[in-house]
Structures are given as structure tokens and as C-alpha cells.
Amino acid sequence: MKKFLWPAALLALVSLAAYAQTPSRPPIIGVSHLSVYASNAEAADHYYVHDIGLKKGPDPENPSGMRYYVNAIQFVEVLSLPPNSGNSRLDHIGYTTTDADALRGYLAAHNYTVPASVEKGSDGSRWFDVKDPEGNKVQFLQPSPHPISMAGADPVGHHIIHVGMRVKSRETESAFYRDLLGFRAYWFGGMKPDHTDWVSQQVPDGHDWLEYMLEGGSGDISQRQYGVLNHLSIGVVNMEKAVTTLDAGNRLDNQHTPMQIGKDGKWQFNLFDPDQTRLELMEFTPVKQPCCSPFTAENPSPAE
């Protein structure tokens, strides 16, 4: 009998050894940034600094770009619009990790295509880019050990709580974000109860979330449509107070829509930058029951 058990035992040992050599995933703790293109740098600067109140700073990754900080580690990156860029103004979405090198190794160990090494910024940050299954560029950023000072800034909110992007296939994207990276279900809903338009999943080790903006068309869409789908959201405690503050400071000289309660039961208010990228102000907690599905994870909080 023993001569038949030895091969099975050896196979088990080999499997255990291979498992032990597979690196664990380091934490992905939140949304880092949204990187967008601007056709008019001066107009974008006025919007992000004057209207939204963000802190302007140099871009440690790209000397020709600019960063606009919501807090010491979350920001909007604005890049010059390249020639023949099409209608989308999104370059990439970034997520914050505690160890960029280890995360690159984790993806490589799971046979995901990664760059040969991480890149290093002038501020000491480390990052790498990959493509998700639908070809969207995704960046994982380990922030600088020396966070920027927010002195002099007056942001309308202090935390990017979610980002959204156009997604054609929920299942295709979830193989990467949920199955491989460990993003967790948060909420889903739609304009009609029997149809899903939005699927939200929180980062594995925090409460920020990625929202699939389901739009399954095979062709291009308008710049305005892209701007609605590819967006960021800043959390506010009280929407009426936030909008009143903007209005009193003459900070609503931009495209925006009225306050409303979204299908998820949270107050929201949408503004658009000069290139139509949407910035959604959103209260942290719902004021009414959401449609379509309950929340399956904790909401982000102002203290985060």
C-alpha cells in the first residue's frame, strides 16, 4: 500500500511548497487619484483650485503634469490633452497600496502582465501601471513618505470616496478587481429596479470604492458621456452646507446640476470640469433606503 501513497504524499508536499512561495497580496487601502486630460490648462487650474479648492502641486511622475490635492495623499492629476485623443478624458485611475513592489510581485505570481519593475517619483513615491481586462490603465501607488502640506487649500471636501469608469462587462472586470485583487461588494443599482447600471465594490482594505458604470455599447461615445461615466466623488458631511459654501464664494461658475438624492439614498451634487469630467459631491451616509440592493459593507466616514 505504501508504494501507492508516496506519490500522493510527494505531490501534496510539492503543492504546499508552491503555495508557500506564492506571495500574499499587500494591502490596497483606498483610492489614490483620478488622472485626466485637459485641453486648456489655465481653465482646469481655475476649476480645481478656485472652484473645488484643491491644493496645487507639481507632478512627481510627470514633469509636464500637475496635481491637485484633496488631502495629503489623494489628488486629481491633470495632463495635457494629447493629439488625436478621442472623446475620453481619462488617462487612468490610481489606488493606494502600502507596498508597490510586493503588489507587483503578487500580480506577477498570478501570471498577470506587469512591468519589469516599479517606477520611482521625485517625491519618493513608488508605482506601477497595468491594464485591466477591458484595457483600462490602472495604477497602484505607494505614496511619498513625505506627504504634501495642505496649507492654504480650501477643499469642498477632504476625501475621495469613490471613482467610476465605463465598464462593458461586469463579469470580465470582476475577474480582476474582485477575484484577483479582492475588492468587496458594496452596492448595485439602476435607473429602473429591474436593470443594473452601477456596481460598486470597495477596495480590499478600506471603504473607498470603484463604481462600474455599465455601458455596453461597442463604439465610441460622446465626450460628455465619457465625462459622466469616468468620474470621481468627494465626500461631504452636509450637502446643503457644502453647496451653500461654494455659492457664497462664487465657486459655481461651472457646469453643475441641482442637488438630488441618488438611487443609493445619498445626497449628491454634480460639477463638471472644463473638459466635462464629472466631480460628484456625495454625503457619506444615506438619508433614505437605497433602491435595488442593500449596502453590504460599511460606508466611508469623515474621519478617514
Side-chain angles (χ1 to χ4, degrees), residues 275-287:
D275 279 86
Q276 306 292 309
T277 295
R278 180 164 64 100
L279 192 161
E280 178 184 34
L281 301 184
M282 176 179 281
E283 289 192 359
F284 289 93
T285 56
V287 295

Side-chain angles (χ1 to χ4, degrees), residues 59-209:
D59 189 343
E61 295 185 27
N62 187 335
S64 65
M66 194 63 63
R67 284 186 179 180
Y68 297 90
Y69 288 86
V70 177
N71 57 50
I73 64 170
Q74 289 184 308
F75 55 91
V76 179
E77 180 184 44
V78 176
L79 305 172
S80 297
L81 182 68
N84 305 315
S85 58
N87 290 331
S88 176
R89 293 298 184 264
L90 177 66
D91 183 74
H92 68 267
I93 290 174
Y95 299 94
T96 304
T97 181
T98 57
D99 192 330
D101 290 277
L103 185 55
R104 191 201 68 83
Y106 169 83
L107 290 174
H110 287 80
N111 300 314
Y112 207 84
T113 301
V114 296
S117 63
V118 301
E119 298 188 67
K120 301 176 184 179
S122 59
D123 62 346
S125 60
R126 304 170 71 85
W127 76 91
F128 67 95
D129 299 336
V130 296
K131 293 290 184 70
D132 75 11
E134 291 194 349
N136 303 296
K137 183 164 68 169
V138 184
Q139 184 175 110
F140 297 100
L141 174 67
Q142 180 181 335
S144 167
H146 308 291
I148 191 170
S149 168
M150 291 296 291
D154 186 23
V156 65
H158 301 272
H159 183 182
I160 299 176
I161 58 174
H162 80 261
V163 288
M165 67 178 185
R166 182 191 188 190
V167 165
K168 297 179 180 180
S169 169
R170 172 180 180 176
E171 293 74 19
T172 298
E173 291 289 73
S174 288
F176 175 70
Y177 291 102
R178 291 200 182 185
D179 299 342
L180 180 57
L181 292 177
F183 280 54
R184 300 162 295 134
Y186 178 53
W187 177 79
F188 65 85
M191 292 300 295
K192 299 178 180 179
D194 60 346
H195 189 269
T196 300
D197 296 301
W198 317 292
V199 180
S200 297
Q201 40 274 308
Q202 289 185 340
V203 297
D205 306 287
H207 297 117
D208 302 346
W209 71 90

